[in-house]
Amino acid sequence: MNKGETSEQELKSHCSNVLADFKVPKQIHVLEALPRGATGKLQRLNMAKFLKLGE
């Protein structure tokens, strides 16, 4: 791992320490960048397709 990077397990551990159990994410996806439109808004539908959610 490079300096400044964190493992999925470390992120989940941190979340479980500061969040209620039902708020701790079950999955963590690391992306280089979030899909954004021309106006800079997050493109949620494209992100859901990329992550194959809702299928």
Side-chain angles (χ1 to χ4, degrees), residues 6-46:
T6 303
S7 72
E8 181 179 342
Q9 186 60 34
E10 289 173 325
L11 285 172
K12 284 185 179 182
S13 175
H14 174 73
C15 289
S16 66
N17 289 335
V18 297
L19 298 173
D21 288 341
F22 71 93
K23 292 184 178 183
V24 176
K26 293 177 182 159
Q27 296 179 351
I28 297 176
H29 299 276
V30 179
L31 305 174
E32 291 293 321
L34 296 174
R36 297 193 180 267
T39 60
K41 292 182 180 180
L42 181 64
Q43 293 182 331
R44 292 183 185 100
L45 292 176
N46 286 342

